[in-house]
């Protein structure tokens, strides 16, 4: 069990579908992250929200759209994805400005694009 | 730019000691994390270094040399459950942590 909760655990969608991934934490963390991880590769940073504002977008295609409705929630809206977007999507959170605080990861959403 | 280098795979024997090295070049630096990741699971935090020297935490220790852009993770008294990937992750700035490619560690009985 992790303190960062991601839903759904698995998602299969077609290339024309619109879906959302959700992430929630109640640790009072002020930084939240989305990572993409392909098999046998490290997590790749996509987006960072710091104090509910988007602080980093690692040149992610616009078919991925993040949203941070409040300090506990982080969403990733998906539209018109490609088969190569199939991966494990990990959400993480951290204290934010405290440099020695690690990121806590959720268990991820395994996404398959048909 | 960023460059993080660590061995792709290592093998060690149960009960032994193994050292996983990491060299890094980042545009900023504010500490370095090590994470463990078992196949199919999320990464879990192992250690953090921001000052030069050794940090010890039970069977796991991590070392940092900022001037050399070098860190290592030392695992003692290896157990079968230590078979996993180990990710070196420098913090480039307050909210940006970059992961290396990871070292897959295989433990033999």
């Amino acid at each position: 069990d992790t303190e960062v909760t991601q839903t759904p655990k698995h998602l299969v969608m077609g290339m024309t579908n619109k879906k959302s991934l959700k992430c929630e934490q109640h640790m009072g963390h002020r930084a939240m992250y989305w990572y993409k991880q392909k098999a046998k590769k490290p997590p790749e940073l996509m987006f960072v929200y710091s104090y509910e504002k988007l602080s980093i977008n690692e040149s992610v295609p616009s078919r991925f759209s993040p949203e941070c409705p409040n300090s506990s929630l982080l969403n990733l809206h998906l539209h018109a994805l490609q088969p190569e977007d199939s991966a494990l999507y990990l959400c993480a959170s951290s204290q934010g400005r405290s440099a020695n605080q690690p990121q806590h990861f959720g268990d991820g959403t395994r996404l398959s694009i048909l | 730019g960023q460059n993080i280098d660590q061995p792709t795979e290592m093998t060690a024997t149960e009960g032994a000691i193994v050292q996983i090295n990491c060299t890094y070049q980042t545009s900023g630096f504010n500490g370095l994390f090590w994470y463990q990741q078992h196949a199919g699971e999320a990464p879990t935090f192992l250690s953090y270094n921001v000052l030069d020297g050794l940090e010890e935490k039970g069977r796991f220790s991590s070392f940092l040399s900022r001037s050399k852009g070098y860190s290592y993770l030392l695992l003692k008294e290896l157990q079968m459950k230590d078979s996993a990937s180990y990710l070196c992750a420098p913090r480039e700035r307050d909210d940006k942590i970059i992961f290396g490619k990871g070292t897959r560690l295989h433990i033999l009985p």
Side-chain angles (χ1 to χ4, degrees):
Chain A
D1 283 349
T2 64
E3 295 168 338
V4 177
T5 305
Q6 288 188 245
T7 54
K9 291 196 185 311
H10 300 275
L11 179 62
V12 179
M13 58 188 282
M15 289 190 282
T16 57
N17 292 156
K18 280 187 185 181
K19 296 282 185 188
S20 297
L21 309 185
K22 297 187 182 304
C23 176
E24 191 168 359
Q25 57 87 16
H26 294 288
M27 295 178 281
H29 288 174
R30 303 315 300 265
M32 295 186 78
Y33 309 76
W34 280 115
Y35 286 87
K36 173 183 176 180
Q37 188 173 25
K38 302 280 266 186
K40 298 189 179 179
K41 299 285 185 189
E44 254 177 69
L45 185 63
M46 299 174 73
F47 301 105
V48 181
Y49 273 82
S50 182
Y51 291 80
E52 299 166 51
K53 289 190 177 7
L54 183 65
S55 62
I56 296 176
N57 175 343
E58 289 286 283
S59 303
V60 180
S62 59
R63 58 187 185 267
F64 295 91
S65 174
E67 179 199 17
C68 188
N70 60 55
S71 59
S72 300
L73 293 174
L74 185 67
N75 298 323
L76 186 63
H77 302 299
L78 314 173
H79 174 54
L81 294 196
Q82 304 296 311
E84 61 264 28
D85 297 324
S86 297
L88 180 68
Y89 287 84
L90 291 163
C91 173
S93 70
S94 71
Q95 291 282 3
R97 301 268 160 90
S98 303
N100 65 343
Q101 296 299 314
Q103 292 177 324
H104 296 254
F105 283 85
D107 289 333
T109 293
R110 196 160 293 284
L111 177 66
S112 299
I113 307 300
L114 302 179
Chain B
Q2 332 141 333
N3 188 35
I4 304 164
D5 196 30
Q6 50 181 129
T8 305
E9 286 192 76
M10 297 181 73
T11 302
T13 307
E14 198 176 9
I17 298 173
V18 71
Q19 179 174 312
I20 302 174
N21 295 323
C22 170
T23 56
Y24 62 88
Q25 286 177 301
T26 52
S27 54
F29 182 77
N30 193 10
L32 187 143
F33 295 91
W34 282 94
Y35 282 84
Q36 179 191 61
Q37 188 174 26
H38 286 99
E41 297 182 14
T44 55
F45 167 72
L46 289 178
S47 70
Y48 174 74
N49 295 71
V50 67
L51 300 176
D52 288 355
L54 191 67
E55 292 282 341
E56 295 187 77
K57 226 178 174 185
R59 294 190 300 114
F60 293 64
S61 305
S62 57
F63 172 83
L64 177 68
S65 168
R66 289 172 300 171
S67 61
K68 294 181 181 172
Y70 167 68
S71 175
Y72 68 71
L73 180 70
L74 191 72
L75 295 81
K76 302 177 191 172
E77 299 166 21
L78 285 170
Q79 301 174 8
M80 298 303 293
K81 68 178 181 180
D82 297 329
S83 292
S85 285
Y86 291 86
L87 302 163
C88 171
R91 181 179 222 135
E92 196 170 76
R93 45 181 260 202
D94 274 354
D95 53 5
K96 186 172 182 178
I97 297 170
I98 305 298
F99 286 87
K101 290 184 167 55
T103 299
R104 280 195 299 282
L105 177 64
H106 306 280
I107 309 297
L108 302 175

